[in-house]
Amino acid sequence: MAHGQTAPGIVSGRLSSDEIAQNFSDLHPAYEPHEAAVAADRCYFCYDAPCQVACPTDIDIPMFIRQIQAGNPEGAAQTILNQNILGGMCARVCPTETLCEEACVRETAEGKPVEIGRLQRYATDTVMAAGIHPFERAAPTGKSVAVVGAGPAGLACAHRLAMLGHDVVIHEARGKSGGLNEFGIAAYKTTENFAEAEVDWLLKIGGITIETSSALGQGITLEGLRDSHDAVFLSIGLTGVNALRAAGEDKDGVRDAVEFIAELRQAGDLSALPVGRNVVVIGGGMTAVDAAVQSKLLGAENVTIAYRRDRDAMGASRFEQDLATSKGVKIMFNVQPVAVHGNGAAAEIELEYTFGTGGDLTGTGETVRLPADQVFKAIGQTLEGAPDGLALDGRKIAVTGPGRTSVEGVWAGGDCAAGGDDLTVTAVAEGRDAAMDIHASLSA
């Protein structure tokens, strides 16, 4: 039964199935071949290309675009995948507007960059659709490596190690591989179960076994993995959730934004997914935008992102901010949560205005209340379950060079490791580079 956008509380069916299907269609539709050719023609094929410098995985962007221009998308995909085995997903979710496309000479000159992300998707989709896996395993080395976590870093590490001839066992805590690519990214950015399809394609290299529902402290230990394998790579992500530190945050209707996004991504019928009439998202990163936009697309009447600092400090790019506002999301800056009000369940949220001087943030004492039957926390995650004995750098695993931890024979990468941005593309680069270092260590 359809409830409509003005129905009180947290309910499903605010929009029809057809409306929701339209809302969650592909954010950036794929190029047709002639469109890709026209887009590729805009590239200047720069020497020492600034776009390549800006790419965390160092893809030879002018080369792959030239290959598309020459009518060779399969060759372009090889160029991309040599550096970034999850190039298909990164083409969809990478913040190209603040990386390669922002650095594009066309962006500097005209304010309209070459659409590098969409061209990358065109090339990688072509290869995947054809069922081609352009890599072969080297002769078996007799060495085995355990990877803990089947997210972007773990998958990238496993593929490179398998390609080099090592046997890899991935232990994944959830019942499905993919990490944040599968559970933590907005559904309109990765439609048609692409994350799952990309994992299946990646596994065609052979030599990789995935054991799901297997995590440190749940049947396996770091010590046990070190005893039974020649090396270990930790890509356990961040599973803890930061607290709001606001009164009433334990009320019904207050939940973690990543959990909401994961539930949405795994839902068989989005029209059956409940969402509030008045939704407030606390935070300023990509997760906050994803949770807010998807709440609106599910039919929430009023959706607000409340961020404690000013616009320039917001983690989400200006493109993501503009996307949110184009969908009807309101963004409030310089406000922080003080209390969630309601009789057992959230009904209102009280926000205090802030001002910042340098790195400090101070509350002004002036507050405002917003209706809020659903409040999402998107204020960052914390490391949980790190094995004893590993040195930490702040709140993450300390690493040196390409992911070496303080424990001999153990590497780490992705969100759980110190340094780097919490991006899929950065995690892929860290997994790939750690694999090469592991290989060098095992070959010594």
Side-chain angles (χ1 to χ4, degrees):
M1 172 180 147
H3 289 98
Q5 289 186 278
T6 59
I10 302 173
V11 299
S12 60
R14 292 188 177 277
L15 298 176
S16 70
S17 295
D18 288 345
E19 288 173 306
I20 287 180
Q22 178 63 37
N23 285 349
F24 283 87
S25 59
D26 214 326
L27 179 62
H28 300 296
Y31 275 143
E32 294 294 333
H34 70 280
E35 293 174 315
V38 171
D41 243 357
R42 295 189 63 241
C43 183
Y44 286 135
F45 310 114
C46 304
Y47 177 74
D48 287 342
C51 58
Q52 182 174 346
V53 174
C55 175
T57 52
D58 196 33
I59 293 170
D60 190 338
I61 294 170
M63 170 63 80
F64 93 69
I65 295 179
R66 187 182 292 277
Q67 289 168 307
I68 291 174
Q69 185 196 44
N72 181 17
E74 295 84 3
Q78 177 90 47
T79 299
I80 295 161
L81 297 166
N82 277 336
Q83 292 298 108
N84 182 346
I85 197 61
L86 297 179
M89 180 59 80
C90 288
R92 288 161 166 80
V93 306
C94 196
T96 54
E97 65 276 359
T98 59
L99 294 172
C100 56
E101 291 178 15
E102 183 178 67
C104 177
V105 173
R106 286 277 195 182
E107 167 65 21
T108 304
E110 304 166 12
K112 188 173 186 235
V114 175
E115 290 190 297
I116 298 166
R118 291 182 74 189
L119 285 167
Q120 179 167 314
R121 174 176 172 176
Y122 171 71
T124 53
D125 280 8
T126 299
V127 163
M128 285 183 62
I132 299 169
H133 191 90
F135 301 98
E136 292 183 6
R137 250 166 85 68
T141 62
K143 304 286 189 179
S144 72
V145 180
V147 172
V148 185
L155 290 168
C157 181
H159 184 276
R160 185 57 60 103
L161 288 168
M163 192 171 75
L164 294 167
H166 307 298
D167 291 324
V168 183
V169 178
I170 303 179
H171 295 273
E172 167 54 40
R174 294 182 186 260
K176 199 176 192 180
S177 301
L180 286 182
N181 284 359
E182 177 62 50
F183 296 97
I185 290 170
Y188 54 80
K189 294 178 180 176
T190 169
T191 58
E192 299 177 339
N193 293 319
F194 180 79
E196 186 174 3
E198 188 174 45
V199 172
D200 292 342
W201 174 86
L202 178 148
L203 294 175
K204 289 184 178 181
I205 188 67
I208 302 172
T209 302
I210 299 181
E211 296 185 7
T212 54
S213 303
S214 177
L216 291 173
Q218 299 174 24
I220 59 169
T221 63
L222 180 58
E223 185 178 342
L225 293 177
R226 291 181 68 208
D227 288 343
S228 55
H229 297 275
D230 297 291
V232 179
F233 178 71
L234 300 176
S235 49
I236 56 178
L238 301 174
T239 56
V241 181
N242 288 328
L244 279 183
R245 291 179 299 195
E249 70 170 291
D250 57 345
K251 293 185 184 300
D252 291 344
V254 181
R255 64 184 301 199
D256 174 27
V258 172
E259 181 184 87
F260 166 68
I261 293 169
E263 182 181 338
L264 191 151
R265 280 290 303 276
Q266 302 306 307
D269 178 8
L270 290 178
S271 64
L273 196 67
V275 69
R277 176 183 182 181
N278 299 300
V279 176
V280 176
V281 182
I282 307 298
M286 305 281 261
T287 299
V289 169
D290 282 357
V293 170
Q294 292 187 114
S295 297
K296 193 68 178 172
L297 298 182
L298 286 172
E301 183 182 18
N302 302 300
V303 181
T304 304
I305 293 174
Y307 179 54
R308 62 194 180 124
R309 298 187 185 275
D310 62 22
R311 179 188 290 275
D312 291 338
M314 196 168 178
S317 67
R318 186 58 66 93
F319 171 83
E320 292 284 337
Q321 295 176 41
D322 291 346
L323 173 67
T325 55
S326 75
K327 300 298 183 183
V329 175
K330 178 183 178 182
I331 304 178
M332 294 179 68
F333 299 100
N334 294 107
V335 288
Q336 63 186 6
V338 174
V340 178
H341 299 286
N343 184 17
E348 287 185 325
I349 187 165
E350 185 176 355
L351 304 168
E352 180 185 23
Y353 289 98
T354 65
F355 69 93
T357 51
D360 297 327
L361 195 70
T362 306
T364 64
E366 181 185 357
T367 63
V368 61
R369 289 194 183 198
L370 302 180
D373 40 37
Q374 197 163 34
V375 177
F376 290 120
K377 298 184 288 184
I379 51 176
Q381 293 181 283
T382 57
L383 178 65
E384 283 188 349
D388 293 338
L390 281 177
L392 300 182
D393 179 353
R395 299 163 71 182
K396 295 189 176 186
I397 298 172
V399 293
T400 56
R404 296 183 185 184
T405 72
S406 60
V407 176
E408 183 72 23
V410 179
W411 284 254
D415 292 353
C416 69
D421 302 312
D422 292 344
L423 297 172
T424 295
V425 66
T426 305
V428 171
E430 291 174 358
R432 177 200 67 197
D433 294 347
M436 295 306 298
D437 195 53
I438 292 168
H439 175 64
S441 174
L442 297 182
S443 303

